[in-house]
Amino acid sequence: MIDDVPAGVRCHTRDDLERRLLRKLDLRMSIILILYALNLIDRTNISNARLQGFEKDLHLHGEQYATTLSILSVGYITMQVPGNMILHWLERPSVILPCCMLVWGTISILSGFYTGIVVARFFLGLAEAPFFPGVVFLVSKWYKRDEVALRMTLVFSGIFLSAAFGSLLASGILHNMQDKLGQAAWRWLFYIEGGITISVAICAMFILPDFPYNTRWFTPEERELAISRLAEDGHDNADELGKQTTMQGLRDAVSDWKVWFFSFATMFQILGQSFGGYFPTLCATLGYDTTVTLLLCAPPWVFGGMIAFALTWYSDKKKKRYQCFMVSNALCILAFIISIFTMDKAARYISLFLMAQVISGYLLLFGWISNTFAREPAKRAIAIALMNALGQTGSVIGAYIWPSSWGPTYRYSYAICIGALGVSTGMFGGMYLYLKHLNEQIERNEQDANDINELRDPIGFRYLV
């Protein structure tokens, strides 16, 4: 649509303009990597604190630690859909997302002072809830369908950054800050990491983009190109004009069975990935001290990040979603099987590498759902949030399937995770077959149509499967 550059603007070819646009956008979006790393560090620092007297100091017994993990998910689930509805309505992610960070950073700092950790964790979940689905929606509003999966991994590689370097940071704090100013080292963990979050959130307000039609630091030709390239990729006109109301999107999302199917399948997927909240504990079964254990947590997540980049790049290049997702889950199940049948240190450590890469399949899922609802922006915002919200019930359940009494082998825990990933893989396989059937139907309709106006979908539109 933008083969002709507007009058008065220096002439560039379409490809040159698009490359320049993507470079500028990718550079701005790259800050999300740091934001999401801090999101996860503040959410999971409790698992590192557990290794340095957290439970003893707060007198937690039995399932009380599991409750402190699961209660965050309750708050997280509660605000997912309202958060994305507000984001779609106000259309200012550059303000809304950093403000969420300011709130959860403050709560993280206060968690170090406050003894009612369950209450603090609930409100931390409320504050963090809008961030992940909000970022997924933001990315889906800027990139074409065959660009989304790799960009999801680029911006969400904060998962691997937080897991790897969060453990290194925690190791330094827990080792050096014990009894400083009369405070336990795990309390300093909350103070320092929360303070970093607040500082970065302020910077993010001046870096993050809004949406293609209202980002202020774009030139007119860049804005026109950003809008037109999405329209050509099958995004509905409402996507760039913002005409579909938030309530229409809510009604459309809750009445579409595909949204619910994705959501429940994601619940089993997240249950199968529940080992993440206990990763330092699983590393501790190797028999090393706290400092070494935390250092050993880093390499598996670095490896997981490398696999994620390779898998999502291939997924975008070949336009294949489910097959890459299935490979990731299969490797994770293999890791669980290894851990069930051996206590050998080398074998179990290798299995942690294979477990960590399962996040790449999870990122592919959000690229897939964004692709599936690409033409309906308000509906897509709700679908992303609903899928992640209901999916997080898997985190609530998963917090209770790793009791200390099942350690150090955790065979029953691994068996439950194998079953959960098997169910999710099967359910998403059913969706894969259904969307393939829809693509065949769309192709037949194009061949049989006498008038282009009779078609419900744009010419050439296909679901990515």
Side-chain angles (χ1 to χ4, degrees):
M1 288 186 184
I2 202 167
D3 293 328
D4 297 322
V5 180
V9 179
R10 188 176 55 183
C11 183
H12 294 282
T13 66
R14 164 67 181 253
D15 289 344
D16 288 340
L17 281 171
E18 193 159 359
R19 279 194 293 269
R20 189 178 69 183
L21 170 69
L22 287 175
R23 280 196 301 269
K24 187 174 184 178
L25 186 57
D26 288 342
L27 187 61
R28 293 271 185 164
M29 287 286 197
S30 63
I31 193 176
I32 297 175
L33 184 154
I34 300 172
L35 305 187
Y36 193 53
L38 293 172
N39 175 268
L40 289 177
I41 285 173
D42 289 332
R43 190 189 314 173
T44 61
N45 53 15
I46 189 173
S47 62
N48 294 322
R50 189 189 191 195
L51 301 177
Q52 195 74 13
F54 172 81
E55 288 179 288
K56 180 181 177 181
D57 290 351
L58 295 183
H59 309 292
L60 301 181
H61 305 285
E63 300 299 326
Q64 290 178 326
Y65 174 75
T67 301
T68 64
L69 290 181
S70 64
I71 198 66
L72 182 141
S73 297
V74 175
Y76 197 72
I77 291 166
T78 304
M79 276 301 293
Q80 293 265 307
V81 173
N84 251 21
M85 290 178 70
I86 293 170
L87 183 64
H88 180 266
W89 175 47
L90 295 180
E91 302 179 337
R92 290 295 178 192
S94 64
V95 175
I96 295 171
L97 298 179
C99 283
C100 291
M101 290 188 68
L102 290 172
V103 174
W104 90 59
T106 302
I107 293 172
S108 182
I109 292 173
L110 294 177
S111 297
F113 292 99
Y114 185 52
T115 56
I117 192 66
V118 172
V119 176
R121 294 281 293 177
F122 174 77
F123 283 103
L124 182 65
L126 284 178
E128 289 194 351
F131 184 79
F132 182 84
V135 168
V136 173
F137 183 55
L138 175 63
V139 171
S140 74
K141 291 277 281 184
W142 282 101
Y143 294 101
K144 296 193 293 186
R145 291 180 300 143
D146 60 355
E147 298 169 344
V148 164
L150 181 59
R151 261 55 180 214
M152 289 285 187
T153 299
L154 288 170
V155 299
F156 287 127
S157 55
I159 293 176
F160 308 104
L161 186 66
S162 70
F165 298 102
S167 295
L168 298 179
L169 176 62
S171 175
I173 294 171
L174 296 177
H175 181 71
N176 296 303
M177 298 301 291
Q178 183 64 32
D179 295 326
K180 298 293 184 182
L181 300 180
Q183 298 288 309
W186 67 263
R187 295 187 186 275
W188 281 107
L189 191 65
F190 290 107
Y191 303 155
I192 293 172
E193 292 178 348
I196 293 172
T197 296
I198 290 174
S199 301
V200 174
I202 295 171
C203 298
M205 290 183 179
F206 303 97
I207 299 173
L208 280 175
D210 289 312
F211 296 135
Y213 45 83
N214 68 339
T215 294
R216 297 169 183 171
W217 38 261
F218 263 1
T219 65
E221 63 179 340
E222 288 172 336
R223 180 175 292 106
E224 186 181 347
L225 177 57
I227 292 172
S228 66
R229 66 195 293 270
L230 293 176
E232 293 163 8
D233 190 49
H235 288 242
D236 192 73
N237 285 339
D239 206 12
E240 62 264 12
L241 299 178
K243 291 182 178 178
Q244 189 180 25
T245 68
T246 304
M247 292 308 297
Q248 283 175 329
L250 177 63
R251 286 193 296 269
D252 289 346
V254 298
S255 61
D256 189 336
W257 69 269
K258 295 194 296 297
V259 174
W260 295 101
F261 192 91
F262 269 117
S263 299
F264 283 107
T266 303
M267 179 187 71
F268 286 101
Q269 181 68 23
I270 292 177
L271 174 59
Q273 297 172 185
S274 60
F275 67 86
Y278 290 84
F279 204 80
T281 301
L282 298 179
C283 256
T285 64
L286 299 177
Y288 300 102
D289 63 30
T290 298
T291 301
V292 174
T293 293
L294 290 172
L295 293 175
L296 287 174
C297 287
W301 293 107
V302 173
F303 173 79
M306 294 166 59
I307 295 296
F309 279 111
L311 204 57
T312 52
W313 174 83
Y314 179 82
S315 174
D316 275 348
K317 183 177 177 63
K318 299 296 183 181
K319 300 186 179 181
K320 293 180 178 180
R321 295 290 187 247
Y322 177 71
Q323 293 174 1
C324 295
F325 166 77
M326 185 172 59
V327 167
S328 178
N329 272 10
L331 289 174
C332 190
I333 289 173
L334 174 62
F336 292 152
I337 293 172
I338 292 172
S339 295
I340 286 175
F341 287 103
T342 183
M343 285 297 293
D344 178 77
K345 287 185 178 181
R348 287 177 75 86
Y349 192 51
I350 289 172
S351 74
L352 293 176
F353 281 76
L354 297 179
M355 289 181 207
Q357 62 74 43
V358 77
I359 302 299
S360 58
Y362 185 58
L363 295 177
L364 280 170
L365 285 183
F366 284 92
W368 194 7
I369 194 171
S370 297
N371 297 155
T372 303
F373 303 106
R375 300 183 57 242
E376 301 148 311
K379 179 180 178 179
R380 183 168 74 249
I382 307 304
I384 290 168
L386 190 60
M387 171 179 156
N388 198 45
L390 293 181
Q392 289 301 321
T393 57
S395 293
V396 178
I397 300 168
Y400 293 95
I401 68 170
W402 300 89
S404 299
S405 58
W406 286 1
T409 63
Y410 292 102
R411 290 191 178 98
Y412 299 119
S413 307
Y414 289 127
I416 292 171
C417 289
I418 289 172
L421 290 186
V423 171
S424 72
T425 305
M427 291 184 71
F428 285 118
M431 181 60 72
Y432 163 75
L433 295 175
Y434 174 73
L435 294 178
K436 278 190 69 175
H437 168 72
L438 287 185
N439 282 342
E440 293 167 359
Q441 195 173 60
I442 292 171
E443 188 170 357
R444 285 195 301 270
N445 291 341
E446 288 180 358
Q447 293 171 352
D448 298 339
N450 296 319
D451 185 350
I452 192 174
N453 294 320
E454 296 175 2
L455 298 174
R456 293 180 55 187
D457 301 290
I459 292 290
F461 174 83
R462 300 291 186 275
Y463 291 100
L464 295 188
V465 294

